[in-house]
């Protein structure tokens, strides 16, 4: 039988259960990303965020306690899809570039989680559930911090990968005896920071 909501409280409880599933899926994703990452600092980041995610799961359990309910996981098809998409993209990517794909998958997941917590906070505040709102806000702030860390790492790695790839092309042309690498008719910048367009 499909769910039918008649109160904001029912919606809130359902979304809270979906967030619980989301964080468990996030642990699965972080495990995939940690094993796929080539750089040790990324592996360490994903391992640390997994520990943080377990704390977020505990916060969600405590939300249910404050509601005097048993924690109940409900479907979160979006996060299942994010895990599946990450695995697929990783499988299609050369090891030399996989860290960029790993970081992209992490960033997409964190943005989704941020949206979920923001919508839960609106409902918690509207119902006057301040204790629950505090727990949800802790999770939200951790997700926002994770986004900033991932963006900084992605920027650094994208620049490094672009330079290495350019260097490999130049070496390849030199070995083939082609001499200098021809300059393209249209110069495309290797990297354009966000907001520069």
């Amino acid at each position: 039988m499909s769910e039918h909501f008649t109160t904001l409280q029912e919606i809130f409880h359902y979304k809270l259960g979906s967030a619980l599933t989301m964080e468990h899926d996030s642990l699965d994703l972080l495990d995939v990303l940690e094993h796929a990452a080539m750089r040790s600092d990324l592996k360490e980041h994903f391992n640390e965020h997994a520990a943080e995610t377990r704390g977020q799961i505990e916060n969600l359990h405590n939300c249910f306690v404050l509601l005097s309910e048993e924690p109940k996981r409900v479907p979160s098809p979006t996060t299942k899809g994010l895990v599946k998409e990450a695995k697929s993209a990783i499988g299609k990517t050369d090891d030399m570039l996989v860290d960029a794909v790993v970081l992209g998958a992490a960033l997409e997941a964190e943005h989704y989680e941020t949206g979920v917590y923001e919508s839960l906070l609106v409902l918690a505040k509207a119902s006057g559930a301040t204790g629950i709102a505090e727990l949800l806000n802790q999770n939200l702030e951790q997700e926002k911090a994770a986004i900033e860390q991932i963006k900084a790492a992605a920027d650094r790695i994208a620049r490094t990968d672009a330079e290495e790839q350019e260097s490999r092309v130049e070496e390849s042309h030199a070995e083939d005896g082609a001499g200098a690498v021809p300059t393209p008719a249209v110069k495309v910048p290797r990297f354009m920071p966000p907001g520069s367009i």
Side-chain angles (χ1 to χ4, degrees), residues 24-88:
H24 281 279
D25 290 344
S26 180
L27 281 177
D28 294 341
L29 178 61
L30 289 165
D31 184 58
V32 168
L33 300 180
E34 181 183 349
H35 284 91
M38 301 303 289
R39 290 169 171 88
S40 60
D41 60 328
L42 290 184
K43 288 181 179 292
E44 185 178 329
H45 167 77
F46 294 129
N47 185 274
E48 288 171 1
H49 193 52
E52 197 171 60
T53 300
R54 284 187 278 278
Q56 292 170 356
I57 289 170
E58 186 63 29
N59 280 352
L60 291 170
H61 277 266
N62 288 334
C63 288
F64 280 103
V65 169
L66 290 171
L67 291 168
S68 300
E69 288 191 12
E70 285 294 315
K72 180 184 175 188
R73 289 170 59 174
V74 298
S76 178
T78 301
T79 50
K80 297 265 189 288
L82 288 168
V83 174
K84 184 177 179 182
E85 185 178 334
K87 287 179 179 178
S88 175

Side-chain angles (χ1 to χ4, degrees), residues 105-125:
L107 192 58
E108 290 164 17
E110 295 298 341
H111 276 290
Y112 177 75
E113 291 174 29
T114 298
V116 168
Y117 284 120
E118 287 173 342
S119 66
L120 278 168
L121 268 168
V122 168
L123 294 170
K125 288 175 181 177

